[in-house]
């Protein structure tokens, strides 16, 4: 069984890189991608049960990943939300965890992010 991933990032090259990462790890399938807060929140409202993990950047083409995090938890409280952003300072990390994020990584922490993904795959019985 694959974990269904909802990816929210305004950079198309990041979509490509993350899709390649998920394929290399195995056990993950991207079910939707969005680049703005409004698009992401609309998809979350219409697709509440169709994702397991949301990977969210904080700075989007329009709007904020913080609001996407809030909507994620509103529409699917059991879903895991990981913030993966170039702006994940200690204060931002604390704020996001307080809002319900399961993990927060700066994009420079790719090794830690990959380890978290591996743990999710193993924890859900997916092939690591």
């Amino acid at each position: 069984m694959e974990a269904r991933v909802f990816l929210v990032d305004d950079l198309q090259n990041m979509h490509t890189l993350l899709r390649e990462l998920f394929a290399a790890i195995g056990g993950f399938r991207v079910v939707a991608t969005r680049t703005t807060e409004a698009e992401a929140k609309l998809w979350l409202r219409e697709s509440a049960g169709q994702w397991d993990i949301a990977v969210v950047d904080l700075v989007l083409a329009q709007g904020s990943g913080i609001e996407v995090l809030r909507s994620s938890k509103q529409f699917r409280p059991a879903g895991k939300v990981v913030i993966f952003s170039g702006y994940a300072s200690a204060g931002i990390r604390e704020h996001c965890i307080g809002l319900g994020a399961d993990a927060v990584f700066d994009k420079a922490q790719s090794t830690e992010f990959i380890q978290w993904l591996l743990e999710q795959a193993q924890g859900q019985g997916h092939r690591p």
Side-chain angles (χ1 to χ4, degrees), residues 1 6 11 16 18 25 29 31 33 35 49 51 56 69 77 80 82-83 87 90 93 99-101 106 109 114 121 128:
M1 181 173 180
F6 175 45
L11 300 175
T16 301
L18 288 171
I25 292 173
R29 177 174 48 92
V31 294
T33 61
T35 60
W51 61 276
V56 180
L69 166 59
K80 299 225 179 209
V82 58
I83 301 298
Y87 297 93
R93 182 174 285 109
L99 291 174
D106 189 274
Q109 297 176 293
I114 292 168

Side-chain angles (χ1 to χ4, degrees), residues 80-98:
K80 299 225 179 209
V81 180
V82 58
I83 301 298
F84 189 54
S85 177
Y87 297 93
S89 67
I92 293 291
R93 182 174 285 109
E94 184 178 320
H95 183 65
C96 290
I97 295 294

Side-chain angles (χ1 to χ4, degrees), residues 18-120:
L18 288 171
R19 283 179 186 274
E20 290 172 0
L21 173 63
F22 297 139
I25 292 173
F28 297 93
R29 177 174 48 92
V30 176
V31 294
T33 61
R34 297 297 184 267
T35 60
T36 70
E37 175 188 327
E39 292 170 340
K41 288 167 66 175
L42 177 62
W43 189 88
L44 286 164
R45 185 172 38 254
E46 294 175 347
S47 310
Q50 298 178 25
W51 61 276
D52 303 306
I53 298 173
V55 178
V56 180
D57 189 7
L58 292 174
V59 178
L60 303 173
Q62 294 175 343
S64 164
I66 295 286
E67 296 306 318
V68 176
L69 166 59
R70 284 188 175 119
S71 291
S72 299
K73 289 303 185 178
Q74 175 187 356
F75 292 113
R76 186 152 173 22
K80 299 225 179 209
V81 180
V82 58
I83 301 298
F84 189 54
S85 177
Y87 297 93
S89 67
I92 293 291
R93 182 174 285 109
E94 184 178 320
H95 183 65
C96 290
I97 295 294
L99 291 174
D102 294 278
V104 180
F105 300 100
D106 189 274
K107 287 183 178 175
Q109 297 176 293
S110 58
T111 302
E112 293 88 346
F113 175 63
I114 292 168
Q115 182 59 43
W116 186 86
L117 290 171
L118 288 168
E119 290 169 7
Q120 301 315 300

